[in-house]
Amino acid sequence: KENFLEYLKVCKGIIIIAGHNTLSESIVFKKPALVLPFKHYVEHYINVYKLEDLIMVKDLQLVSKDEVEDSIKTFLNKINILEKNIKKLNINGDGASEAFEIIFKI
């Protein structure tokens, strides 16, 4: 989507693959996520490692429509708990500003 971040800001939760950028943006914007890593794609598993309190991970090798629907229903039922956990994080999206401050102090 052209204005992806505008959609992300107003959504209740998102369903994504486990790419670094979108996963990071979901955390910065404090949005719970149902994350579907690609099987045998090591980067995806590294990206979701240790995030089980903030996101719901389901292997993308779902074999049936029923399993997909069950995963989405489970995610929607857990979304409030995930949202509370992610809002406890002290993370903001001002890394560029912080880098600027550090570089120009030197």
Side-chain angles (χ1 to χ4, degrees):
K1 262 315 202 185
E2 188 175 312
N3 297 325
F4 170 74
L5 292 178
E6 295 304 315
Y7 288 99
L8 184 60
K9 289 176 187 177
V10 297
C11 70
K12 180 83 171 165
I14 60 173
I15 300 172
I16 57 174
I17 61 171
H20 177 75
N21 285 347
T22 308
L23 186 56
S24 297
E25 289 162 348
S26 72
I27 292 171
V28 167
F29 286 106
K30 301 195 181 334
K31 302 297 178 179
L34 170 57
V35 183
L36 307 166
F38 291 142
K39 189 174 186 175
H40 305 301
Y41 196 65
V42 175
E43 179 187 345
H44 282 187
Y45 291 93
I46 292 169
N47 290 344
V48 299
Y49 181 71
K50 292 285 189 179
L51 295 175
E52 60 271 350
D53 290 339
L54 310 176
I55 62 173
M56 184 179 144
V57 178
K58 183 69 175 176
D59 200 310
L60 193 56
Q61 301 302 313
L62 303 173
V63 293
S64 73
K65 180 183 174 202
D66 290 339
E67 286 177 295
V68 172
E69 287 177 1
D70 287 345
S71 295
I72 292 171
K73 286 178 186 174
T74 302
F75 173 64
L76 293 174
N77 287 331
K78 289 179 67 173
I79 204 164
N80 289 333
I81 294 167
L82 296 171
E83 186 175 34
K84 285 179 188 174
N85 291 342
I86 203 166
K87 284 187 176 182
K88 291 177 187 175
L89 292 178
N90 187 19
I91 293 178
N92 50 43
D94 63 352
S97 299
E98 287 182 36
F100 175 84
E101 299 269 334
I102 292 168
I103 291 167
F104 284 96
K105 281 182 182 176
I106 294 174

